[in-house]
Amino acid sequence: MTKAQIRQTYDRIAHWYDLIEAIPEFLGVKILRRELLQRASGKVLEVAAGTGKNLRYYPKTCQITAADMSSAMLEIARSRADGLGLDITFLIMDAEALGLHDQSFDTVVSSLTLCTFPDPVAAILEMARVCRSNGRILLVEHGRSDRERLGRWQDRRAERHAARVGCHWNREPLKIVLKAGLKVIDARRAFFGIFHLIEAMS
Ligand SMILES: C[S@@+](CC[C@H](N)C(=O)[O-])C[C@H]1O[C@@H](n2cnc3c(N)ncnc32)[C@H](O)[C@@H]1O
């Protein structure tokens, strides 16, 4: 899928997204979000923030900027933030070309996105560029299972799945982070090796 097609897909499914995503949430993503986001501090940029599912988990002291290229997804995030009484800056922006200054955030967060970006290494490099040195890049992702039979099952269906929803579910999030040259501080897998919690710095 091209970026324009990905944006159109998310604009179209925005109102259904939370319902569709309820299954991975139930299978453990919610727990990973809660655990990882407690590590955020200071000025935070959330890249491809979607409907704002992470917003409730940030420490109250964080100043949050949430970016996404789908305005329909961000509209839902905006009402979620209003409901939570949070003051958040929203930006329509491409993760692979962030129009933000170098080293301007203490923490950069992204969740369930490396499967979707056409060039996930470019997106990680952008996250690293806008994060201050010694800042943190926090990721909750999903990818190819390290249980071989399950991983091969994902491989066989990967192309069909990506053509339908733009999600490459057999990517390897940790390898993408390492390919972008980040230092990994903490990395853990959950749910049959499919979900990832990653804390990294540039
Ligand atoms: C699977 S959703 C994840 C949303 C949210 N991060 C979450 O954890 O629920 C993927 C999100 O990435 C956004 N997205 C995809 N490609 C993007 C890009 N190149 N730049 C910015 N956002 C992008 C989509 O609009 C969508 O909101």
Side-chain angles (χ1 to χ4, degrees), residues 3 6-7 10 17 21 33 46-54 67-70 73 93-96 110-113 115-118:
K3 270 185 200 168
I6 294 168
R7 190 182 57 243
Y10 279 99
Y17 177 79
E21 218 267 322
R33 290 184 195 276
E46 184 169 334
V47 177
T51 59
K53 296 203 82 163
N54 289 329
D68 199 287
M69 68 177 185
S70 160
M73 294 290 276
M93 209 166 263
D94 179 0
E96 295 173 15
S110 202
S111 57
L112 310 184
T113 57
C115 57
T116 306
F117 300 143

Side-chain angles (χ1 to χ4, degrees), residues 2-12 69-71:
T2 62
K3 270 185 200 168
Q5 288 169 326
I6 294 168
R7 190 182 57 243
Q8 283 158 12
T9 301
Y10 279 99
D11 280 345
R12 200 173 56 241
M69 68 177 185
S70 160
S71 52

Side-chain angles (χ1 to χ4, degrees), residues 103-165:
Q103 303 209 24
S104 46
F105 292 90
D106 300 298
T107 311
V108 180
V109 171
S110 202
S111 57
L112 310 184
T113 57
L114 295 182
C115 57
T116 306
F117 300 143
D119 185 348
V121 174
I124 292 286
L125 287 170
E126 275 296 84
M127 294 181 208
R129 180 183 66 74
V130 302
C131 191
R132 70 168 166 77
S133 43
N134 292 324
R136 289 292 185 271
I137 294 164
L138 305 177
L139 306 169
V140 173
E141 290 298 337
H142 72 94
R144 187 184 190 280
S145 173
D146 57 358
R147 318 290 155 91
E148 259 321 296
R149 281 179 70 168
L150 182 52
R152 282 202 300 273
W153 183 87
Q154 287 175 287
D155 290 341
R156 284 197 297 277
R157 284 156 183 81
E159 256 182 57
R160 210 176 336 148
H161 186 67
R164 219 170 35 221
V165 291

